[in-house]
Amino acid sequence: MALTLRRISVNNSFRRAIHHVTLNSVKGQRLYSNMSKEERKGADPGGTVISERRGTVMVIGINRPEARNAVNQETAQRLTEELSAFDQDNSLNVAVLYGVGGNFCAGFDLKELAQSSGSLKLEEDVSCCPSPMGPSRMRLSKPLIAAVSGYAVAGGLELALLADLRVVEESSIMGVFCRRFGVPLIDGGTVRLPQLIGLSRALDLILTGRPVKAQEALTFGLANRVVPDGQALQVALELAEQVSAFPQLCLRADRNSAYHAVFDSSSFTQSMQYEFDHGLPVIVAEAVTGATKFTLGAGRGGTFSKSKL
């Protein structure tokens, strides 16, 4: 059943808070502008979402810097298409999501909503359609890393929560900014956030709507890495390449088992059974080969190689 919302009048202060926050204009990294002509081939620099393939890594950028990368209906659809294509492409291992122009995402584009002369249809069955932010309800089968610069607030925070890992710049701000204006979290924020950082800390953010700086986000576990301003995208790319270099069947089995235990399992025993059932085929497919390589390396005096992770 579709829920139809007619034209909504949004408080001007809300629009200013979400779309006209004061920003450092030089902050953030424009990956697209630094790419070679060959890397840009097939990309649409004028689109609301840009994507580039770098080996086994897909790089996806929200490209609405004039709106602090707020997501409108077109952007939501494009993000869903890009992440769906990534998930179905067997030659891609990891995706990186970032915002062009110094901000990750300021949430849903309330300006478009308020000025629309039509209506916005929201499907009540969350299992069959994209969310207002696009892909934030998806369950990807492969890792996604968010490179967070500037603001990742309201629906932008929910998009960041979709990622497995978040690389956050020092001056970035995260938070449930929509709290003070009566806009609910309907893109997974109340589901993912408590599981990620615990109910007590999640309620602190959900109830107060306060801004969370990078170092506090790191303490909470909301951020996985804190990096200097302008470096989130590059560090996220390096991290993606390192994760992509591991044996992928094993990595995905362990990742999916962790998600199952947190969101789907009804008991400890069920979680353990799922882990075993989905890990067993990997032993034949990858573990024996990996053990052989390790044994040969140990025989030559080698041990574990150093890791940058």
Side-chain angles (χ1 to χ4, degrees):
M1 181 188 302
L3 175 66
T4 302
L5 300 179
R6 296 299 177 185
R7 184 172 180 177
I8 299 175
S9 176
V10 180
N11 187 289
N12 286 335
S13 64
F14 185 27
R15 293 200 293 268
R16 287 195 299 269
I18 299 297
H19 300 297
H20 298 285
V21 287
T22 302
L23 303 168
N24 183 343
S25 62
V26 298
K27 185 173 57 180
Q29 193 168 8
R30 291 178 177 269
L31 173 67
Y32 185 85
S33 63
N34 293 328
M35 288 180 174
S36 67
K37 290 183 179 179
E38 183 63 27
E39 289 171 320
R40 295 180 192 179
K41 186 177 181 181
D44 176 13
T48 61
V49 174
I50 58 177
S51 63
E52 293 294 335
R53 178 174 183 144
R54 291 196 161 196
T56 56
V57 176
M58 176 60 73
V59 187
I60 302 170
I62 306 173
N63 188 32
R64 301 191 73 222
E66 74 285 352
R68 315 306 187 219
N69 290 324
V71 170
N72 58 10
Q73 293 181 66
E74 177 189 354
T75 308
Q77 179 179 346
R78 290 284 295 113
L79 283 172
T80 302
E81 291 170 353
E82 290 290 350
L83 282 172
S84 295
F86 155 72
D87 209 42
Q88 296 166 20
D89 190 331
N90 293 330
S91 65
L92 292 169
N93 294 336
V94 184
V96 173
L97 179 63
Y98 75 106
V100 174
N103 287 284
F104 181 73
C105 176
F108 187 75
D109 191 343
L110 297 175
K111 183 176 180 180
E112 179 188 75
L113 179 62
Q115 294 179 350
S116 174
S117 59
S119 60
L120 176 67
K121 291 185 177 180
L122 300 180
E123 175 58 54
E124 291 185 87
D125 184 355
V126 300
S127 66
C128 71
C129 295
S131 67
M133 293 296 296
S136 60
R137 293 177 187 153
M138 293 178 69
R139 285 281 296 271
L140 297 170
S141 65
K142 297 180 283 190
L144 172 67
I145 300 173
V148 177
S149 58
Y151 283 79
V153 297
L157 174 62
E158 291 177 297
L159 275 182
L161 294 174
L162 172 65
D164 300 275
L165 301 172
R166 282 153 295 281
V167 178
V168 179
E169 293 183 359
E170 289 176 338
S171 66
S172 293
I173 297 293
M174 308 175 85
V176 187
F177 279 22
C178 50
R179 170 58 50 240
R180 65 201 75 171
F181 305 107
V183 178
L185 297 169
I186 60 172
D187 288 81
T190 65
V191 178
R192 296 183 190 271
L193 190 61
Q195 293 288 2
L196 188 66
I197 66 175
L199 180 60
S200 178
R201 285 172 167 168
L203 286 175
D204 180 9
L205 305 190
I206 291 170
L207 296 179
T208 67
R210 67 181 180 83
V212 177
K213 296 182 179 180
Q215 287 300 326
E216 184 179 17
L218 183 64
T219 301
F220 277 10
L222 182 55
N224 299 95
R225 308 280 194 281
V226 173
V227 299
D229 289 354
Q231 295 186 19
L233 182 54
Q234 184 59 42
V235 173
L237 281 169
E238 293 172 357
L239 184 58
E241 289 169 355
Q242 292 164 16
V243 171
S244 183
F246 289 128
Q248 291 298 300
L249 291 179
C250 179
L251 182 144
R252 293 174 196 173
D254 288 348
R255 174 187 178 275
N256 292 336
S257 180
Y259 272 104
H260 177 83
V262 169
F263 290 107
D264 299 320
S265 180
S266 60
S267 69
F268 174 78
T269 301
Q270 187 183 81
S271 297
M272 296 293 284
Q273 191 65 56
Y274 184 96
E275 179 188 65
F276 178 80
D277 290 344
H278 290 78
L280 187 60
V282 176
I283 294 177
V284 176
E286 285 185 345
V288 172
T289 301
T292 301
K293 289 181 179 179
F294 172 79
T295 301
L296 292 174
R300 293 192 298 268
T303 55
F304 292 104
S305 63
K306 291 183 179 180
S307 172
K308 297 180 180 180
L309 295 175

